[in-house]
């Protein structure tokens, strides 16, 4: 019986993986947090602009205009989520997401209750200004918005 052996060569990648000099996971996470944190002011400015845009959306005059106005509101709420989520501003994200859900669930052939947009815009403004320590007040705002969603969205099958 013949045994054939051959010299194994190590790939360049395996040498790089085995060699010291990389960044530990903890350091990488700390660097990532610092990088994200450096963008906080910019993101909060975006949140401010988008809440103002949501507040400025004019209620539709008729059913034909409704789709356009709802799209404006949806885009503003979605932009709030995009800007706030990297900073784990979950209250803002949940409120904006609730508005998106209500707009998604709105029948196209029926008049949308525009008070929903107004209430969500004001709630987002309130959540933006409430101190983080006011957990009970924040929870009350979110619970109230959930009641709106529960009443306005069709029951899940």
């Amino acid at each position: 019986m013949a045994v054939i052996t051959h010299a194994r060569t190590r790939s360049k990648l395996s040498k790089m993986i085995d060699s010291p000099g990389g960044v530990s996971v903890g350091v990488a996470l700390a660097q990532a947090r610092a990088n994200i944190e450096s963008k906080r002011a910019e993101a909060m400015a975006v949140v401010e602009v988008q809440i103002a845009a949501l507040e400025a959306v004019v209620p539709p005059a008729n059913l034909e205009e409704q789709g356009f106005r709802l799209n404006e509101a949806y885009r503003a709420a979605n932009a709030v989520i995009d800007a706030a989520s990297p900073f784990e501003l979950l209250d803002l994200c949940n409120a904006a997401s609730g508005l998106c859900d209500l707009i998604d669930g709105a029948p196209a052939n029926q008049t949308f209750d525009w008070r929903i947009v107004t209430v969500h815009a004001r709630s987002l403004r309130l959540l933006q200004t409430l101190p983080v320590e006011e957990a009970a007040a924040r929870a009350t705002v979110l619970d109230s918005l959930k009641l709106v969603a529960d009443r306005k969205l069709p029951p899940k099958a």
Side-chain angles (χ1 to χ4, degrees):
M1 176 185 311
V3 177
I4 301 173
T5 61
H6 60 300
R8 292 186 182 203
T9 57
R10 289 185 53 165
S11 71
K12 190 174 182 178
L13 178 60
S14 71
K15 289 178 187 175
M16 287 174 55
I17 290 172
D18 290 339
S19 65
V23 177
S24 72
V25 172
V27 170
L29 287 173
Q31 289 173 342
R33 282 188 200 102
N35 289 340
I36 289 175
E37 198 58 38
S38 72
K39 299 290 186 183
R40 181 178 287 271
E42 184 180 333
M44 294 306 99
V46 170
V47 167
E48 171 62 33
V49 166
Q50 295 305 322
I51 291 174
L54 185 59
E55 291 169 330
V57 175
V58 179
N62 52 46
L63 200 56
E64 292 77 35
E65 194 178 283
Q66 177 173 284
F68 176 73
R69 299 293 182 211
L70 286 175
N71 282 336
E72 284 183 299
Y74 188 93
R75 280 194 304 274
N78 197 41
V80 168
I81 296 167
D82 289 345
S85 63
F87 303 97
E88 298 178 358
L89 300 172
L90 301 179
D91 295 342
L92 285 172
C93 293
N94 288 338
S97 177
L99 178 56
C100 290
D101 290 345
L102 285 160
I103 292 171
D104 280 339
N109 59 350
Q110 294 177 11
T111 303
F112 186 80
D113 186 353
W114 202 257
R115 296 175 298 177
I116 292 170
V117 175
T118 305
V119 165
H120 277 78
R122 290 180 181 164
S123 297
L124 284 166
R125 178 70 67 203
L126 178 60
L127 289 168
Q128 180 193 29
T129 59
L130 273 174
V132 176
E133 302 81 35
E134 296 286 336
R138 290 174 166 281
T140 301
V141 171
L142 291 173
D143 290 345
S144 298
L145 293 177
K146 185 170 179 353
L147 287 173
V148 171
D150 289 347
R151 289 184 184 149
K152 294 294 183 175
L153 287 175
K156 294 179 181 176

